[in-house]
Amino acid sequence: MVQDVRILNTGTLLELQRRLRSAGHENIRASMQRRIRHAAEPLRDDLQNTMRTLPIRSSGRKPGKRGGPSPTRRPLRATLAAAIRISVRTTGNPGARVWMDKGALPPDLKRMPDVINTGRIRHPVFGNRRRWATQTATPLWWDKTIRQHRPRMEREVARVLDDVRNRLT
């Protein structure tokens, strides 16, 4: 799984950052950060929407098998979608980053972003570790969504950098 997506043009961003710092243009730097974040927001929103609507299929119960309520009340897809984040940095390693924040997930779901992206989810049946179920989801949903947005994001970030460079000269 692509753990995160980063739109970087490190050389250009670092050069612009140095010029901004030496020129003392805080408002241009804040504007650049805001515009880069704005370029990444459609990707985050689409990833969240894709996660919320991701079909997860099961082979179903075998005849004569009992069912029951889920041992947790938290919705899986909504929990994972809420953990998708954006960060924008203009110093150090500058760029925009969209990632799944595993720190925002409950302890039992820390590995779920990697597992669900493979398309095969194995889990104990209602917490019983002697009985396991396998469910399937659309494989590589994260990677496919990122691939769709990457050209647009790269164009938008390049436009932001050109605007900032023009304002500095």
Side-chain angles (χ1 to χ4, degrees):
M1 171 178 161
V2 175
Q3 292 295 328
D4 56 31
V5 60
R6 296 173 190 219
I7 300 300
L8 304 170
N9 188 349
T10 308
T12 307
L13 283 171
L14 286 173
E15 177 256 331
L16 277 177
Q17 187 62 29
R18 277 192 291 275
R19 288 174 59 189
L20 281 170
R21 201 173 302 122
S22 67
H25 290 289
E26 279 299 318
N27 59 344
I28 296 176
R29 187 182 343 193
S31 172
M32 182 174 78
Q33 276 187 300
R34 185 176 58 252
R35 289 179 63 194
I36 291 174
R37 174 177 288 280
H38 185 71
E41 284 173 351
L43 171 61
R44 183 209 49 208
D45 296 344
D46 197 18
L47 284 168
Q48 288 176 333
N49 186 48
T50 302
M51 181 70 253
R52 284 187 192 102
T53 60
L54 188 69
I56 298 176
R57 294 168 297 286
S58 174
S59 59
R61 268 189 226 122
K62 306 289 186 260
K65 298 292 182 181
R66 296 184 348 242
S70 171
T72 66
R73 294 287 178 223
R74 102 188 139 238
L76 173 68
R77 293 180 198 103
T79 303
L80 292 174
I84 297 174
R85 307 266 196 260
I86 298 176
S87 68
V88 176
R89 293 183 61 179
T90 56
T91 60
N93 188 10
R97 180 176 175 224
V98 178
W99 85 104
M100 180 80 73
D101 183 7
K102 294 181 182 179
L105 295 173
D108 59 332
L109 293 181
K110 299 280 186 207
R111 291 189 55 238
M112 186 55 74
D114 300 324
V115 170
I116 203 166
N117 197 50
T118 66
R120 184 171 179 259
I121 307 160
R122 278 186 41 84
H123 61 89
V125 177
F126 299 112
N128 180 353
R129 301 195 66 77
R130 289 179 296 190
R131 293 187 56 214
W132 289 75
T134 301
Q135 293 180 290
T136 57
T138 306
L140 303 175
W141 66 272
W142 179 272
D143 303 13
K144 290 174 186 174
T145 306
I146 288 172
R147 257 186 259 120
Q148 292 171 353
H149 284 267
R150 189 174 202 114
R152 180 199 53 78
M153 285 180 61
E154 288 173 346
R155 283 191 311 271
E156 185 65 30
V157 169
R159 185 176 16 245
V160 169
L161 296 177
D162 288 342
D163 290 349
V164 170
R165 194 176 300 113
N166 290 339
R167 285 179 70 181
L168 285 174
T169 56

